[in-house]
Amino acid sequence: MEIVRINEHPILDFEKKRKRKVTIYYKGQPIEAYEGETIAAALHAAGIRVLNYSRVRKRPRGLFCAIGKCSSCLMTVNGIPNVRTCITLVEDGMKIEENKPILPANINKKDKKKRAKIVKGDIIVVGGGPAGMMAAISASDTGAKVILIDESPMLGGQLVKQTHKFFGKRDQFAGIRGIKIAEILRREIEKRENIKAYLRTSAVGIFQDGEEKLVIGVRKENELIEFKGKAVIVATGAMEKTIPFENNDLPGIYGAGAIQTLMNTYGIKPGEKALIVGAGNVGLILAYQLLQANVQVQAIVEAMPKIGGYFVHAAKVRRLGVPILTRHTILKAEGEEKVERAIVAEIDENWNPIPGTEKIFDVDLIAIAVGLRPSIELLQQAGCQIKYVRELGGHVPVRDRWMETTVKGIFVAGDTAGIEEATTAMLEGKIAGLAAALRLGIAGEEWVKEIEKTEKELEEFRSGPFGRRVIEGIKKLLEGSK
């Protein structure tokens, strides 16, 4: 099998990051892996792209989101079906097979009767990305006991894969790479005794239990935990959007975030030649991150008449020789078990492909960078009012200035509240954490000034041209909360 690990990188040192070697078994075949990496990452490092097949038409399926929010990577692990291999860590001797969605006959019946563990705190934060970590830190500053839940094996969310430096002010981490910001926030959380973090723990429901909020969590796929608190902050981030085109389900077609995870978190080369669909900031940044990993970027395709990201990012990509094709879209991906080619074409003002303008790119990697949508499923289940606001990325929870939803005691922050940047996610997380503590009576009135200061920082950050649509969307939401 072809090994595609990255050993040399201009920013990241994967030789230092990699831990003890272990052996996992895919269909009985031994595969070398490293502790701390996911099953899907280890399989990719061994050149395995097809993870399972669709139930009805038996079409091949591969990694797409890498954050546990789609079904593309479900496999059977140690006899247990439907395991999300993109967020499940490897273990020595682990047995992996294509997904067989039938529970094994020898499942331990005693385990079914095991009582759920109960964990109590003041504020439960669901989501360990930039918004969730900042919410936990800010709430803990007021003296609140915080429970932080995240289904990934590490805290940081999207920050752990961001190698570029952030814009903004110095106290908003300007000039610091996302991977470093994640480390700073993790250290803050680790040194605080009043924050208890639960990783590899999925929140599957939020309920009212008398005077308390009850969050049902599943840890490591097999341990049921009841988290009880007086308030909940939901910072579950966002999901990758995709677009319709022929064969858009072939292995080798990834959301942009999944490619960043493979390259920047686990040091695994996702392909040799890439086509990027979408010229927003994510697509542009992804282009030079791919080049850093020695992946050729054949082109960036953008349906709009102009790029959607910052000029500085586009200029850098163009200097590196990557063409940006505006008013173009992808028509088709070709290949047997995985991507081998992509066909794109120019489109007219009515978004229709123009015959005769087709271009063929020989690629084994197609990156979909067409935007995100907020992950609001838990908020919907909890009964929060949801509203469609195009400027914020789709359906979002209605909330007030202090990030509280229409269900008292449930707050929101980050991309769950509306698609923006990591900087605004952290500022919103700070407001939500302080506001939750204030409304519970844990924080004193002196913390109101800190919220007002953070609101001004948010307003300043959104004052640029890219923030106008967000401001308009927030106005619509605030009107809905009255």
Side-chain angles (χ1 to χ4, degrees), residues 15-308:
E15 291 296 317
K16 286 185 178 179
K17 288 180 68 174
R18 288 179 184 133
K19 301 178 182 178
R20 183 175 71 94
K21 286 184 180 181
V22 297
T23 301
I24 60 175
Y25 295 87
Y26 174 64
K27 297 183 179 180
Q29 184 176 7
I31 291 174
E32 185 181 272
Y34 290 89
E35 282 186 346
E37 68 184 10
T38 62
I39 297 169
L43 294 178
H44 270 67
I48 297 168
R49 298 290 181 270
V50 178
L51 304 182
N52 59 50
Y53 290 85
S54 64
R55 294 290 305 280
V56 178
R57 297 190 177 181
K58 305 300 179 184
R59 292 177 62 83
R61 291 285 180 265
L63 185 69
F64 179 75
C65 78
I67 53 174
K69 293 186 178 182
C70 73
S71 60
S72 292
C73 71
L74 295 181
M75 303 183 78
T76 294
V77 179
N78 292 337
I80 305 299
N82 296 329
V83 174
R84 293 175 293 176
T85 58
C86 69
I87 59 172
T88 303
L89 297 178
V90 297
E91 295 177 4
D92 197 31
M94 183 178 268
K95 295 178 175 60
I96 301 123
E97 302 172 272
E98 290 170 11
N99 202 33
K100 302 171 184 176
I102 301 171
L103 283 173
N106 62 347
I107 190 169
N108 191 335
K109 293 182 179 180
K110 290 182 180 179
D111 287 346
K112 293 182 180 179
K113 299 178 181 179
K114 190 184 294 184
R115 294 183 65 85
K117 179 181 178 181
I118 297 175
V119 178
K120 292 191 175 185
D122 295 318
I123 298 171
I124 303 166
V125 180
V126 182
M133 288 195 292
M134 189 61 79
I137 291 167
S138 301
S140 75
D141 284 342
T142 70
K145 294 180 180 178
V146 181
I147 299 166
L148 178 59
I149 304 168
D150 193 272
E151 61 188 359
S152 298
M154 69 183 79
L155 291 174
Q158 298 300 308
L159 291 175
V160 302
K161 60 188 80 167
Q162 302 299 344
T163 59
H164 64 283
K165 294 180 180 179
F166 278 41
F167 297 132
K169 292 183 177 180
R170 183 175 297 178
D171 55 1
Q172 295 166 6
F173 302 105
I176 302 176
R177 301 186 193 278
I179 51 176
K180 184 64 177 178
I181 297 171
E183 290 177 12
I184 293 169
L185 296 180
R186 276 199 296 265
R187 284 199 298 268
E188 281 294 318
I189 287 168
E190 288 168 0
K191 72 182 185 184
R192 294 163 188 261
E193 293 183 358
N194 57 342
I195 300 179
K196 179 65 175 175
Y198 287 80
L199 299 179
R200 299 176 66 185
T201 303
S202 299
V204 296
I206 301 175
F207 306 92
Q208 190 69 36
D209 185 18
E211 296 296 315
E212 294 181 310
K213 292 284 188 290
L214 170 64
V215 177
I216 302 297
V218 179
R219 189 166 181 245
K220 296 182 180 179
E221 307 285 348
N222 60 17
E223 181 186 3
L224 190 65
I225 305 177
E226 294 182 0
F227 297 99
K228 295 187 177 183
K230 299 169 188 173
V232 177
I233 300 171
V234 178
T236 46
M239 295 178 65
E240 300 269 7
K241 289 181 180 178
T242 189
I243 55 174
F245 58 91
E246 190 174 345
N247 291 328
N248 70 348
D249 59 346
L250 273 177
I253 300 173
Y254 305 84
I259 295 173
Q260 291 175 320
T261 297
L262 286 172
M263 291 190 306
N264 302 339
T265 303
Y266 299 114
I268 295 164
K269 201 172 178 181
E272 295 296 330
K273 296 180 180 180
L275 175 76
I276 299 174
V277 181
N281 281 324
V282 172
L284 297 171
I285 290 169
L286 179 64
Y288 62 78
Q289 289 180 344
L290 281 162
L291 293 169
Q292 287 173 335
N294 200 29
V295 178
Q296 296 179 37
V297 181
Q298 304 294 82
I300 301 174
V301 175
E302 172 57 59
M304 297 296 287
K306 61 181 181 179
I307 62 168

Side-chain angles (χ1 to χ4, degrees), residues 285-350:
I285 290 169
L286 179 64
Y288 62 78
Q289 289 180 344
L290 281 162
L291 293 169
Q292 287 173 335
N294 200 29
V295 178
Q296 296 179 37
V297 181
Q298 304 294 82
I300 301 174
V301 175
E302 172 57 59
M304 297 296 287
K306 61 181 181 179
I307 62 168
Y310 292 126
F311 173 78
V312 64
H313 294 319
K316 184 172 183 177
V317 168
R318 283 180 170 133
R319 284 198 304 271
L320 293 169
V322 178
I324 302 175
L325 307 178
T326 54
R327 284 201 179 279
H328 281 70
T329 192
I330 182 168
L331 299 180
K332 181 180 182 182
E334 293 183 335
E336 293 299 321
E337 291 277 289
K338 58 184 179 180
V339 171
E340 297 172 18
R341 285 171 302 281
I343 300 173
V344 306
E346 190 175 351
I347 56 176
D348 61 24
E349 293 181 356
N350 295 317

